[in-house]
Amino acid sequence: MFNSEQFSHLYIEDKARDYLLTLDIQKKFPTAKIVNIKHYKDVFSSYKNNFRVQKKSQKIILAKKESGFLYPIGKFIQNQGKNNFYYSSMVLNCIYDCEYCFLQGMHQSSHIVIFVNTDDFFDEIKKKLKEVSDIFVSISYDSDLLALEKITNLISLWIDFANNHDNLSLEIRTKSNNFKSISHLYNKNTLLNFSLSPEHIIQNYEHKTSSLKQRINSINNAMSLKWKVAIVIDPILDIKNAITIYQEFIIYLMQNINFNHIDSVIVGTFRMSSKYLKIIQKTNLKSDLLYYPYEVKDKMVSYPQNTHTKLVECVKSEILKHNKNMKIYEVSDDD
Ligand code: SF4
């Protein structure tokens, strides 16, 4: 959770300086050292960066994004049966530190970049809405926006925008228990996708994230306020005793969440670009996840097909045993 001394430095790009969001964020960190920079990549993409070293003391970079406000969803994400599924990244990097996270291989820096020219993102969506009848946008793809909401207020801005565009639906993926900061913002077209894992996995691999109990509390609070909620069990990890751990996990979820009110469940197993995996291995992170004998296909690493199927089927069948009508979307290697 955020406190005003959490970030010792704010790097502010020249072009970002006068934006409202820049001024708002600056106010939240009155003791932070302000460093003015010409371009965010001067800091973010410097060859001297070390993702893991910076992770111990992340800084905030406020920048103006010049292009690339909306992207079609890639094959790593299940499209949840939606047409016109896009993602948008107002923030790069995350305050959490999951050992399986692709961001470690994608960016040289783990500092958090916040793009403050939000209207440019919204203008792009307005343009897209003139071309197609409706769109579904994942807004928390390269970060966990709910975890940062007290700093950025970005979810609030997105939902305000969605309130004026009935044909825009939003997806917010999170491992945060910070639902209370958006609980008053209900929007019928916004789907909260809570990522859940067995507590054993949270403790060992999803560092700094909320506990399973806290996430479940957020889910139950959100559903009590009529929010549309989905559950993401992805990546399922092939750890020791995985089948037993995941079976017990699903039973625990069934006991603590009313699945009749859950919109859907998304399941998938570990996968990553092979390029990112190699980069992460070089950063010397001593995670067993990085040294699994993965299969490489189309520049992507994943579990062998039989392992993928075994893990996904275990989770799916356990869910369907308790709730046979549950809508389950599966991320497959062939997506
Ligand atoms: S919560 Fe998501 S974005 Fe953040 S570190 Fe974990 S996997 Fe990465």
Side-chain angles (χ1 to χ4, degrees):
M1 212 49 70
F2 137 79
N3 73 65
S4 63
E5 288 169 10
Q6 187 176 355
F7 294 95
S8 62
H9 290 63
L10 298 184
Y11 290 93
I12 305 182
E13 197 184 63
D14 288 346
K15 287 185 186 163
R17 203 168 302 139
D18 297 329
Y19 280 86
L20 256 186
L21 189 52
T22 301
L23 303 173
D24 273 358
I25 293 174
Q26 255 184 280
K27 272 191 224 145
K28 290 176 181 163
F29 299 98
T31 58
K33 186 172 162 56
I34 307 294
V35 184
N36 294 313
I37 53 174
K38 231 185 170 58
H39 195 278
Y40 83 93
K41 288 190 178 169
D42 297 343
V43 176
F44 192 65
S45 305
S46 162
Y47 72 93
K48 292 184 199 150
N49 287 333
N50 180 313
F51 192 97
R52 295 254 46 96
V53 171
Q54 291 182 345
K55 199 80 191 171
K56 290 183 191 142
S57 169
Q58 285 175 291
K59 319 284 189 244
I60 288 180
I61 302 173
L62 302 174
K64 179 179 179 209
K65 194 161 172 70
E66 301 289 352
S67 61
F69 302 108
L70 193 63
Y71 299 98
I73 214 76
K75 66 177 182 178
F76 294 137
I77 292 195
Q78 221 295 336
N79 74 7
Q80 297 163 58
K82 307 281 191 300
N83 297 320
N84 305 322
F85 193 170
Y86 290 83
Y87 73 93
S88 183
S89 293
M90 285 187 182
V91 175
L92 308 179
N93 280 331
C94 186
I95 55 169
Y96 298 147
D97 194 11
C98 303
E99 292 187 15
Y100 52 74
C101 182
F102 68 98
L103 295 172
Q104 306 166 91
M106 182 181 239
H107 303 307
Q108 281 174 284
S109 169
S110 53
H111 292 338
I112 294 177
V113 179
I114 301 169
F115 294 114
V116 294
N117 51 324
T118 50
D119 283 346
D120 292 333
F121 286 80
F122 295 143
D123 285 346
E124 186 75 19
I125 305 236
K126 283 183 205 158
K127 254 193 256 164
K128 189 54 76 183
L129 284 171
K130 283 185 185 150
E131 293 166 21
V132 293
S133 55
D134 53 78
I135 62 170
F136 188 74
V137 182
S138 177
I139 62 170
S140 194
Y141 178 59
D142 287 330
S143 186
D144 190 315
L145 278 198
L146 189 56
L148 289 166
E149 183 63 7
K150 290 194 173 163
I151 298 172
T152 66
N153 222 30
L154 286 174
I155 294 181
S156 168
L157 291 179
W158 271 105
I159 291 182
D160 267 359
F161 180 71
N163 284 337
N164 292 315
H165 296 84
D166 247 6
N167 44 354
L168 167 66
S169 300
L170 302 178
E171 181 208 44
I172 302 165
R173 281 202 182 194
T174 189
K175 291 188 177 82
S176 163
N177 67 337
N178 189 25
F179 171 70
K180 58 185 168 307
S181 67
I182 59 162
S183 57
H184 56 293
L185 299 173
Y186 170 80
N187 164 273
K188 68 179 172 27
N189 293 331
T190 296
L191 176 67
L192 277 176
N193 268 350
F194 282 92
S195 264
L196 301 182
S197 294
E199 187 60 37
H200 172 79
I201 285 181
I202 294 175
Q203 292 298 325
N204 287 289
Y205 300 107
E206 297 180 354
H207 309 293
K208 303 183 188 171
T209 62
S210 308
S211 69
L212 179 58
K213 263 195 182 146
Q214 289 173 317
R215 295 184 212 177
I216 288 175
N217 277 343
S218 279
I219 288 176
N220 289 332
N221 288 339
M223 291 198 304
S224 72
L225 294 171
K226 309 282 180 239
W227 282 68
K228 212 196 284 182
V229 171
I231 288 175
V232 182
I233 304 173
D234 178 24
I236 303 169
L237 298 177
D238 188 24
I239 53 168
K240 194 168 167 218
N241 300 326
I243 297 297
T244 310
I245 288 172
Y246 279 97
Q247 279 171 337
E248 289 175 359
F249 165 62
I250 300 298
I251 291 169
Y252 182 77
L253 296 187
M254 293 292 167
Q255 288 166 343
N256 288 282
I257 297 171
N258 183 350
F259 268 65
N260 292 328
H261 294 155
I262 291 290
D263 178 83
S264 51
V265 180
I266 299 166
V267 295
T269 56
F270 177 86
R271 63 213 173 275
M272 185 183 280
S273 131
S274 49
K275 180 178 154 200
Y276 293 167
L277 183 67
K278 276 189 200 131
I279 293 171
I280 300 170
Q281 285 167 339
K282 278 191 201 140
T283 64
N284 209 12
L285 184 72
K286 291 183 178 40
S287 170
D288 54 334
L289 298 183
L290 305 176
Y291 302 97
Y292 188 98
Y294 296 110
E295 276 185 357
V296 186
K297 199 168 95 189
D298 299 333
K299 300 186 181 163
M300 194 174 144
V301 297
S302 57
Y303 292 138
Q305 188 60 43
N306 59 345
T307 307
H308 166 86
T309 306
K310 181 184 74 183
L311 293 170
V312 164
E313 286 310 314
C314 151
V315 169
K316 275 170 66 175
S317 63
E318 202 58 46
I319 294 171
L320 293 171
K321 206 193 284 177
H322 295 88
N323 189 319
K324 64 178 174 20
N325 296 322
M326 196 70 236
K327 201 170 17 165
I328 302 179
Y329 297 111
E330 180 185 336
V331 186
S332 84
D333 294 348
D334 300 324
D335 276 347

